[in-house]
Amino acid sequence: MLIVSSGKCQICGSDKLPFTMQEALCTCQKCGKEYKVCQRCKEKGCPKCGGRLESSMEWATKNKILF
């Protein structure tokens, strides 16, 4: 089930989150830290280690999981 996102970006404070939580909730591929982020912060990467942030939707697509 897709869930509508709410709240603010945990990195910059923007209220311009992607439409679904599956897109907003991201995990760093390097350190494993989770963030709820806007698209701009996602593209910049993890503020802790600089690793790539992968959304739940990207992970599901990669693992052939359908919502």
Side-chain angles (χ1 to χ4, degrees), residues 1-65:
M1 173 171 61
L2 296 175
I3 302 167
V4 176
S5 65
S6 62
K8 297 182 182 259
C9 175
Q10 293 177 315
I11 297 173
C12 74
S14 168
D15 60 355
K16 297 185 190 295
L17 293 176
F19 184 69
T20 65
M21 282 304 292
Q22 288 81 355
E23 284 293 322
L25 185 60
C26 295
T27 304
C28 176
Q29 297 303 290
K30 190 173 179 182
C31 71
K33 179 89 170 125
E34 288 187 346
Y35 300 97
K36 183 168 52 170
V37 297
C38 65
Q39 189 62 35
R40 190 178 81 211
C41 288
K42 181 179 181 270
E43 290 170 2
K44 289 181 181 179
C46 180
K48 181 178 177 184
C49 73
R52 181 182 175 279
L53 294 176
E54 179 179 64
S55 72
S56 300
M57 189 68 80
E58 289 172 318
W59 180 87
T61 301
K62 178 175 70 178
N63 290 286
K64 298 181 171 101
I65 297 172

